[in-house]
Amino acid sequence: RALDVDKSTWSNGKSTDIKNISEIRLKFALAVAEGLKKLLPLFKDPYSTYAKNLSSSFKILGETCEKEEAFKDFLEDRKKTNGSNGLHLNALLIQPIQRICRYTLFLSGIVKQTDENDDSYSLLVCVKSMTDDLAKTADKEKAEAEKKIRYSEVAGQLRGLEGFDTDGGLTKKGRQFICEWKCALTEEKSSNKSFHTFFLFSDVLIIACIRSSIKDGYWVTGWLSLEELIIIPISSK
């Protein structure tokens, strides 16, 4: 709570020197830094695990709300209680991750206002670096978890794979989902466009399109192994 209230003091740019800030607030800032230095090493594993499971938690929560009207109503009622501050469970679940960002912003503000020759400077820089590392770890775990979830979803949505040499199918061991994008393809000497979705994996590029006969899915029109891909430079002339 103190971080939420006082972080603006350090980050709003109004103060030019930390020594101009009251001694009480200076002691408070250093106490926070000392506390974080001791606690942050203990945060790494729990935060990594939490971030890794956050996306699947959102997915399960959303699916449950769609299926169970009573559960959805219960969550809406809980928003009205004092403990939830009017926030939905989704918003509460993301707060531990947002808290790391607040630590980083809080410490960044303090470091900017601290003279490099001040005795506390090295401590503040050290703790800020620790919070940055923790935030990066949590973001990485969350991003990887989201890709795994999307991989599973895509695997269940693609149809027509039997027409290609998939070398063990889409869920081949070691294969990783990278990203996806939509693109309009045009045949040579034709103005007709067909819209496709490209799914990029660590070793293959899949091209698929939506068909009316397929509900919530895609029909695969192309399977390109990246091991056999040859890129030819195109002249700008």
Side-chain angles (χ1 to χ4, degrees), residues 28 41 71 80 84 94 132 170 173 177 186 193 200 221:
F28 162 73
F71 180 66
K80 302 173 184 177
S84 65
I94 195 65
D132 288 345
L170 181 59
K173 185 177 181 181
F177 175 76
T186 304
K193 295 182 179 180
L200 179 62
T221 58

Side-chain angles (χ1 to χ4, degrees), residues 2-3 10 18 24-41 43 103-104 106-108 110-111 114 118-131:
L3 292 179
W10 312 95
I18 197 172
I24 293 177
R25 285 188 171 177
L26 174 58
K27 289 181 178 180
F28 162 73
L30 295 179
V32 170
E34 287 282 6
L36 287 175
K37 185 178 182 181
K38 295 177 182 179
L39 293 174
L40 284 174
F43 288 178
Y103 293 156
T104 300
F106 174 74
L107 290 165
S108 295
I110 298 176
V111 170
T114 305
D118 192 280
D119 293 339
S120 63
Y121 186 78
S122 59
L123 167 65
L124 295 171
V125 171
C126 174
V127 177
K128 179 185 177 300
S129 177
M130 293 172 68
T131 59

Side-chain angles (χ1 to χ4, degrees), residues 3 49 53 55 72 93 129 139 161 167 172-173 230 237:
L3 292 179
T49 301
N53 293 314
S55 296
K72 181 180 179 180
L93 285 173
S129 177
D139 286 342
L161 286 171
D167 188 24
K172 178 182 177 182
K173 185 177 181 181
I230 300 177
K237 296 181 180 180

Side-chain angles (χ1 to χ4, degrees), residues 139-192:
D139 286 342
K140 181 180 178 181
E141 294 288 356
K142 183 174 179 290
E144 290 181 354
E146 288 174 346
K147 287 183 178 180
K148 289 179 180 178
I149 292 174
R150 185 53 183 153
Y151 186 175
S152 177
E153 291 174 345
V154 170
Q157 292 175 333
L158 295 180
R159 305 288 186 273
L161 286 171
E162 58 275 5
F164 299 88
D165 181 11
T166 60
D167 188 24
L170 181 59
T171 55
K172 178 182 177 182
K173 185 177 181 181
R175 178 172 290 149
Q176 296 179 337
F177 175 76
I178 306 298
C179 63
E180 65 186 271
W181 67 93
K182 298 184 184 300
C183 184
L185 302 182
T186 304
E187 296 182 10
E188 187 176 1
K189 298 180 181 180
S190 173
S191 59
N192 295 328

Side-chain angles (χ1 to χ4, degrees), residues 72-96:
K72 181 180 179 180
D73 292 340
F74 169 77
L75 293 181
E76 288 297 322
D77 288 339
R78 296 305 300 173
K79 284 174 58 178
K80 302 173 184 177
T81 62
N82 294 331
S84 65
N85 295 319
L87 298 176
H88 190 274
L89 181 56
N90 270 338
L92 295 173
L93 285 173
I94 195 65
Q95 284 197 348

